[in-house]
């Protein structure tokens, strides 16, 4: 009876009160445009591609910062917004990435390439600290690739990352058991070493993905595959070395990239604009990116997530 009375009392108290809707997961707001440099009616969109390239984000935890849009989705969203704006006369892609998964790298390349083809406007890629492996792959969609004097680029190739926890499992007395339909069904399992047959299979996949990377460079940079393969042994290059090899066109700074975009678009003056979510800081074209939070700790977290994910991961990634 007491429980029933308490329920009736609560209902009476709440009667006539407004229902409060509390959002435990903050909403992702639509993109807004902000001018960061220059003036005029024409616009140059500055789009940022930074961090480890992966089409996934972390889970939502109560009290955590607002969720971030996966980088592939954000790139597509920005380019779709720019497609609807005839005032956008050029695109500058600012890249600061060691690469990431082969799929995310390829999707970003494709989104930029499709946008360039559809809008028929010049695209300039400029690489900041790092534009390596998948970061360089994405840059290949541009008409012109620029590097800062201090940029590290290259690392052309594919790496497969997995772990072997067999020794640890044995120490804690755990023996995993896989019941499988075929000998290769659990290939790459972290609970045992790779067999020679598995290594051969994985190597064939890596070789094919590497060939795709090489072919893309040869086509985009107008180089022979033999020349590309000679440079694509996984090593990194300075900006000067990359230019000598034909991997980049120019060495300069952001001002040079914007000037090149303005010249290629045939406009005397233009505003450099960026898209951002409300409350995101944008003051100039060196402003922080809306991609995963930059910094060593964040990059390590992203790399750890790639390695610790379920199963082996094939990556266009600079992995020192």
């Amino acid at each position: 009876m007491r429980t029933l009375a308490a329920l009736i009392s609560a209902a009476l108290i709440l009667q006539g009160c407004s229902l409060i809707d509390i959002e435990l997961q903050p909403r992702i707001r639509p993109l807004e445009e902000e001018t960061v440099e220059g003036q005029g009616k024409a616009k140059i969109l500055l789009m940022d591609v930074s961090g480890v390239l992966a089409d996934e984000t972390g889970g939502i935890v109560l009290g955590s910062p607002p969720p971030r849009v996966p980088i592939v989705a954000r790139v597509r969203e920005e380019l779709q917004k720019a497609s609807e704006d005839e005032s956008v006369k050029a695109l500058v892609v600012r890249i600061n990435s060691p690469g990431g998964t082969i799929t995310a790298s390829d999707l970003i390349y494709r989104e930029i390439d499709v946008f360039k083809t559809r809008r028929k406007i010049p695209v300039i890629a400029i690489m900041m600290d790092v534009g390596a492996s998948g970061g360089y792959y994405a840059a290949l969609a541009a008409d012109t690739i620029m590097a800062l004097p201090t940029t590290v680029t290259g690392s052309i190739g594919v790496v497969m990352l997995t772990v072997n926890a067999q020794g640890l499992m044995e120490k804690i007395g755990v023996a995993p058991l896989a019941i499988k339909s075929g000998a290769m069904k659990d290939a790459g399992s972290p609970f045992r070493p790779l067999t020679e047959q598995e290594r051969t299979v994985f190597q064939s996949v890596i070789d094919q993905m590497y060939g795709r990377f090489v072919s893309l460079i040869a086509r985009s940079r107008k180089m022979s595959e033999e020349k590309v393969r000679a440079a694509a042994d996984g090593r990194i290059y300075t900006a000067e070395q990359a230019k000598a090899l034909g991997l980049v066109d120019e060495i300069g700074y952001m001002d040079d990239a914007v000037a090149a975009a303005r010249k290629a678009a045939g406009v005397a003056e233009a505003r450099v604009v960026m898209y951002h979510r409300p409350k995101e800081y944008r003051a100039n074209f060196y402003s922080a990116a809306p991609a995963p939070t930059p910094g060593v700790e964040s990059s390590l977290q992203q790399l750890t997530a790639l390695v610790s994910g379920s199963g082996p991961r094939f990556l266009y990634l600079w992995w020192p």
Side-chain angles (χ1 to χ4, degrees):
M1 290 296 294
R2 289 181 178 179
T3 302
L4 179 60
L7 290 173
I8 294 173
S9 298
L12 291 173
I13 292 172
L14 292 174
Q15 187 176 16
C17 295
S18 299
L19 183 63
I20 300 174
D21 183 14
I22 300 176
E23 290 185 350
L24 297 180
Q25 178 176 335
R27 292 180 181 177
I28 296 176
R29 305 296 180 181
L31 292 171
E32 296 180 355
E33 179 187 297
E34 184 170 344
T35 300
V36 294
E37 299 278 348
Q39 59 186 1
K41 292 184 178 180
K43 302 174 186 177
I44 296 174
L45 173 62
L46 174 57
M47 185 176 70
D48 198 272
V49 175
S50 66
V52 177
L53 308 182
D55 189 23
E56 55 192 44
T57 57
I60 300 299
V61 180
L62 188 62
S64 66
R68 294 184 179 274
V69 178
I71 189 168
V72 176
R74 179 178 59 77
V75 165
R76 182 175 177 83
E77 183 182 6
E78 290 198 24
L79 294 179
Q80 285 180 331
K81 184 176 177 67
S83 293
E84 299 167 359
D85 187 351
E86 291 298 324
S87 297
V88 175
K89 303 300 184 183
L91 170 65
V92 174
V93 184
R94 183 181 62 185
I95 297 173
N96 195 7
S97 172
T101 68
I102 58 176
T103 298
S105 304
D106 187 63
L107 286 175
I108 292 172
Y109 166 86
R110 183 180 183 278
E111 289 297 328
I112 298 171
D113 187 58
V114 168
F115 170 80
K116 180 181 69 173
T117 303
R118 181 171 61 243
R119 280 297 313 275
K120 295 180 173 58
I121 63 175
V123 178
I124 311 295
I126 180 164
M127 301 183 291
M128 307 297 284
D129 288 297
V130 180
S133 204
Y136 180 72
Y137 189 109
L140 293 169
D143 300 299
T144 301
I145 301 178
M146 298 181 66
L148 269 61
T150 53
T151 295
V152 172
T153 186
S155 187
I156 299 164
V158 189
V159 61
M160 187 193 87
L161 297 179
T162 185
V163 294
N164 182 2
Q166 183 179 21
L168 175 62
M169 302 294 283
E170 290 174 349
K171 285 183 179 180
I172 61 177
V174 176
L177 173 64
I179 300 175
K180 50 193 179 181
S181 58
M184 298 293 295
K185 186 59 181 173
D186 67 338
S189 168
F191 304 123
R192 60 175 179 78
L194 287 175
T195 66
E196 286 303 315
Q197 183 185 14
E198 289 168 348
R199 285 182 180 275
T200 300
V201 170
F202 284 132
Q203 187 64 57
S204 68
V205 174
I206 289 172
D207 291 344
Q208 186 169 345
M209 294 302 177
Y210 171 72
R212 178 181 178 84
F213 200 163
V214 168
S215 296
L216 184 60
I217 296 172
R219 184 172 70 249
S220 300
R221 304 301 302 167
K222 296 178 175 56
M223 300 165 58
S224 67
E225 288 203 6
E226 291 74 19
K227 184 177 180 181
V228 175
R229 287 179 182 274
D233 60 0
R235 75 182 70 185
I236 56 172
Y237 297 104
T238 65
E240 291 286 354
Q241 291 170 334
K243 184 179 179 183
L245 289 168
L247 299 178
V248 304
D249 297 293
E250 301 292 341
I251 298 174
Y253 293 92
M254 282 297 305
D255 305 81
D256 302 308
V258 171
R262 193 167 53 240
K263 181 179 179 181
V267 294
E269 59 179 13
R271 291 184 290 128
V272 179
V273 300
M274 296 184 74
Y275 298 146
H276 67 97
R277 311 287 175 192
K279 297 184 179 181
E280 283 182 344
Y281 168 73
R282 285 292 182 280
N284 57 62
F285 54 41
Y286 289 113
S287 302
T293 306
V296 174
E297 182 179 355
S298 175
S299 295
L300 288 174
Q301 290 173 347
Q302 290 172 288
L303 290 172
T304 300
L306 288 179
V307 180
S308 60
S310 59
R313 308 298 294 271
F314 295 97
L315 308 170
Y316 291 142
L317 178 70
W318 179 30
W319 181 261

